[in-house]
Amino acid sequence: MSSSLKDVAARAGVSPRTVSNVVNGSARVAAQTRQRVQEAIDELGYRPNLAARSLRAGRTGIIGLAIPEFQSPYFGELAGLLVDEARRRSWTVIIEQTRGDAEVERRLLTGDSGRVMDGLIISPWALTADELTSTAHTLPIVLLGERSSQGKADHVAVDSVAAADEATAHLLGLGRRRVAAIGLQPHLQNGTAQQRTEGYRRALRRAGIAPRPEWERSVTSLHREDGARAMAELLDGDSAPDAVFAFSDELALGAMHVAHLRGIRMPEQVAVVGFDDVEDGRFSHPALTTISPDKEQIAQRALQCLADRIYTPRNRVPATTLTIPHRLLVRGSTVPEAEVSG
């Protein structure tokens, strides 16, 4: 015999309305209460009647998630967390790969993609800030990443300027003075590379070091082969770096691969910092020092923003910009592993 909403309410010691709010995401519920209700749902195996609920509410129970690329470990890990969080709300997620194509992003934002969805979480790469704010959103939208929504849509992001500053300052604090940056992307409209470049340069200037063009390497993408190519160029230059800040962990891993092939010791001869805290970096040798965004919180807050937007008339909910915390995880690529605490 299947459990009912009332059974869950009795098990959790709350009202049926509170259980409904947790399932629907239609109202803010205290974290402890939400956890208690979710535990009761899991224990009893309760599954709401999605078809009936959607029919009554005029909704599908389906949301969209648009990410630039499936092969990126960062977006893969984040997508998994978003799907898990959506499942707790009994939502189905349709995942779209945009590959940074402006037309694909535009179609998704305007609802012209042919998908029937209640809302969309999107990490845009191609559209400019003006295009994002001028595009007529027919769906509730939550933006991920560094692209500003200028107050026109909910936005969940990490402060990439501050994070890049912290990563570079860490290298400078180790006594490194030839700190290179790998990951500039002048051909893209997204703000990721621009903000991380800004933070990198800011830390250098604060330390009395003028940024040098020969220490800044542009890439076509944020993959390992791009990091390897950029590192080879840096090492072949007139003044090889003693440290590298890579704008993604994939770039950092590619750079470390080239350093290893050339017999360069890390971190003794060159220290490397990445960005994203993907699983591969934890198992590289040496393990990769990295900026770790709180991906779980990104997923939770993005889904809560979307729920607020779906279940409340849009003119009654002001657009929200949420800055998610990050932390620097120091590992063997910048500090000898015997000296790394914890």
Side-chain angles (χ1 to χ4, degrees), residues 7-23:
D7 295 330
V8 174
R11 175 66 65 89
V14 299
S15 69
R17 169 61 63 184
T18 298
V19 176
S20 179
N21 287 338
V22 171
V23 170

Side-chain angles (χ1 to χ4, degrees), residues 159 161-163 165 197-207 211:
D159 187 341
V161 176
D165 185 322
T197 303
E198 180 183 346
Y200 159 75
R201 291 173 178 170
R202 187 172 74 182
L204 288 181
R205 292 191 180 101
R206 192 172 57 248

Side-chain angles (χ1 to χ4, degrees), residues 130-146:
D130 289 341
E131 287 177 302
L132 283 172
T133 56
S134 63
T135 300
H137 302 164
T138 60
L139 290 171
I141 299 291
V142 175
L143 300 180
L144 301 180
E146 287 77 5

Side-chain angles (χ1 to χ4, degrees), residues 42-338:
D42 294 340
E43 290 172 4
L44 296 175
Y46 170 67
R47 294 294 179 268
N49 188 329
L50 297 180
R53 189 180 74 189
S54 298
L55 184 63
R56 289 193 301 269
R59 291 185 286 267
T60 66
I62 299 171
I63 64 168
L65 170 62
I67 58 176
E69 52 187 18
F70 290 149
Q71 68 266 41
S72 163
Y74 172 78
F75 284 114
E77 291 180 16
L78 182 58
L81 292 168
L82 284 161
V83 169
D84 288 344
E85 187 67 21
R87 186 178 292 121
R88 294 188 182 97
R89 299 172 182 270
S90 299
W91 285 347
T92 298
V93 182
I94 296 173
I95 304 179
E96 300 274 1
Q97 179 175 241
T98 66
R99 294 196 180 278
D101 185 299
E103 187 55 37
V104 174
E105 293 179 357
R106 193 175 294 110
R107 285 203 312 270
L108 289 167
L109 287 171
T110 57
D112 294 335
S113 66
R115 299 289 194 179
V116 180
M117 301 180 294
D118 295 332
L120 174 69
I121 298 174
I122 181 171
S123 179
W125 268 11
L127 296 181
T128 65
D130 289 341
E131 287 177 302
L132 283 172
T133 56
S134 63
T135 300
H137 302 164
T138 60
L139 290 171
I141 299 291
V142 175
L143 300 180
L144 301 180
E146 287 77 5
R147 172 73 80 257
S148 171
S149 66
Q150 299 179 355
K152 300 293 181 64
D154 295 317
H155 182 207
V156 179
V158 172
D159 187 341
S160 271
V161 176
D165 185 322
E166 185 175 354
T168 308
H170 169 65
L171 293 168
L172 293 166
L174 297 172
R176 311 299 171 125
R177 286 298 175 266
R178 301 188 306 279
V179 182
I182 295 176
L184 285 72
Q185 293 185 297
H187 62 290
L188 285 182
Q189 294 293 337
N190 77 29
T192 302
Q194 290 92 327
Q195 291 188 23
R196 293 176 191 178
T197 303
E198 180 183 346
Y200 159 75
R201 291 173 178 170
R202 187 172 74 182
L204 288 181
R205 292 191 180 101
R206 192 172 57 248
I209 299 173
R212 294 171 55 173
E214 62 268 29
W215 288 350
E216 298 180 354
R217 292 294 159 176
S218 298
V219 296
T220 56
S221 67
L222 302 179
H223 299 156
R224 291 172 178 82
E225 58 267 26
D226 299 275
R229 187 180 307 111
M231 187 65 163
E233 293 172 356
L234 287 167
L235 295 176
D236 291 338
D238 293 333
S239 179
D242 59 9
V244 171
F245 168 46
F247 293 2
S248 78
D249 281 358
E250 282 197 88
L251 290 173
L253 292 169
M256 290 170 65
H257 176 69
V258 168
H260 175 72
L261 290 178
R262 297 199 180 190
I264 295 172
R265 300 189 310 280
M266 295 169 285
E268 292 82 3
Q269 292 175 279
V270 63
V272 180
V273 176
F275 201 119
D276 288 337
D277 187 23
V278 302
E279 186 177 23
D280 285 353
R282 299 165 216 160
F283 292 92
S284 64
H285 183 71
L288 177 61
T289 294
T290 186
I291 293 291
S292 177
D294 190 334
K295 293 188 279 288
E296 289 189 2
Q297 191 170 156
I298 291 173
Q300 293 166 2
R301 301 303 292 273
L303 265 296
Q304 185 60 59
C305 282
L306 194 63
D308 290 344
R309 189 65 58 187
I310 289 172
Y311 292 107
T312 306
R314 66 182 63 192
N315 59 354
R316 288 173 51 191
V317 181
T320 301
T321 298
L322 297 173
T323 301
I324 303 302
H326 67 269
R327 58 187 178 133
L328 176 70
L329 299 179
V330 178
R331 299 185 181 126
S333 68
T334 59
V335 175
E337 293 185 347

